[in-house]
Amino acid sequence: MSDGFLQIASTLTSIARGFHSRGWLVGTSGNLSAVVDREPLRLAVTPSGVDKGEFSPAQVLLTDEQSRVVSDHLAKPSDESPLHVRIVKEHGAGAVIHTHSIWNTILSDRHAGDGGLGIEGYEMLKGLQGVKTHQHREWLPIIENSQDMLALAESISDTLGKNKDAHGILLRGHGLYSWGRDLLQAKRHVEILEFLLEVLGRSILINGN
Ligand SMILES: [Zn+2]
């Protein structure tokens, strides 16, 4: 394995363990990936069905554009790997992180009828790449969930094509996808979006709207 892959695997593991401890990747849910090479495309990806709280760098898989494992592992990549590939290829992301938090699950269902969720007026929005003011309105598109990964990949591709400035996308009753130029930026975006979703959710509880 290259030094680049080993470094990425180490960073990916520490983010996965940290997010697990925050309750965003419980019960083997969620997945993470990062670009190792663009030509040909090689992604470091979490395997399917592993406990992110016990995750280690040696478990990180190297996969190709068709989400086939090209490293010396017997494990399967996450079922949602094709979605990561689409976001990397079509949205220029260098890393993609998918979380299953309580608040992203609740709010992605609550606002699905609106096609998305608008967030504005919060200082924390400035943690999103390119956002300079709390007055920014961030639109988090919401798409219907599906167990058909190819259909879901098409839906994500179509939605991102219409929302080129989005920093994340919600799958209804399922979770959040966010991304960045690298793992650290993707981590920051997930932290910001999860914070804002929790603010919205708790505000609804307090204010009742
Ligand atoms: Zn998921």
Side-chain angles (χ1 to χ4, degrees), residues 80 98 100 174:
E80 294 177 49
H98 169 50
H100 287 205
H174 176 163

Side-chain angles (χ1 to χ4, degrees), residues 29-31 78 80 83 98-100 145 149 152 171 174-177:
S29 68
N31 31 71
S78 161
E80 294 177 49
L83 310 185
H98 169 50
T99 49
H100 287 205
N145 193 25
M149 288 305 140
L152 209 46
L171 276 56
H174 176 163
L176 168 72
Y177 271 86

Side-chain angles (χ1 to χ4, degrees), residues 23 73 81 90 105 128 132 146 183 192 205:
H73 287 94
S81 297
E90 295 175 18
T105 301
L128 300 173
K132 302 276 188 268
S146 172
L183 274 167
I192 295 289
L205 287 179

